[in-house]
Amino acid sequence: MVDKAKADDSGKAARAPSMPMARDPAVAVAEEYEAARRKGTREALELFIARHGDDPLAERARADLQRLSR
């Protein structure tokens, strides 16, 4: 027996779920910076800088790192 495509009551084929909107990359980076800052460890800040070295927040992370060194 041949399987039919899934259909709703109207006889139309079921739609695939739509994709959610992509996140704003700047927001995601800012959230990652805040998480590293809250953690407050050299490792967390260095990881942020390694991942986002060209982002303006990397300068803030570098300054935070300098303050940890004191």
Side-chain angles (χ1 to χ4, degrees), residues 41-53:
T41 65
R42 171 174 289 284
E43 292 79 15
L45 292 167
E46 287 174 344
L47 179 59
F48 177 83
I49 293 165
R51 292 182 64 179
H52 306 289

Side-chain angles (χ1 to χ4, degrees), residues 31-70:
E31 288 173 355
E32 189 174 335
Y33 167 72
E34 286 302 320
R37 191 185 59 74
R38 278 193 309 272
K39 194 165 187 182
T41 65
R42 171 174 289 284
E43 292 79 15
L45 292 167
E46 287 174 344
L47 179 59
F48 177 83
I49 293 165
R51 292 182 64 179
H52 306 289
D54 294 335
D55 192 88
L57 287 174
E59 286 304 315
R60 289 175 62 185
R62 288 182 186 97
D64 294 338
L65 201 52
Q66 288 291 328
R67 280 191 287 278
L68 281 178
S69 297
R70 293 182 191 166

Side-chain angles (χ1 to χ4, degrees), residues 1-30:
M1 191 163 158
V2 177
D3 290 341
K4 293 183 180 180
K6 289 194 171 212
D8 60 18
D9 291 339
S10 68
K12 295 180 182 175
R15 279 189 181 185
S18 62
M19 295 290 294
M21 293 287 292
R23 290 186 65 203
D24 180 349
V27 171
V29 171

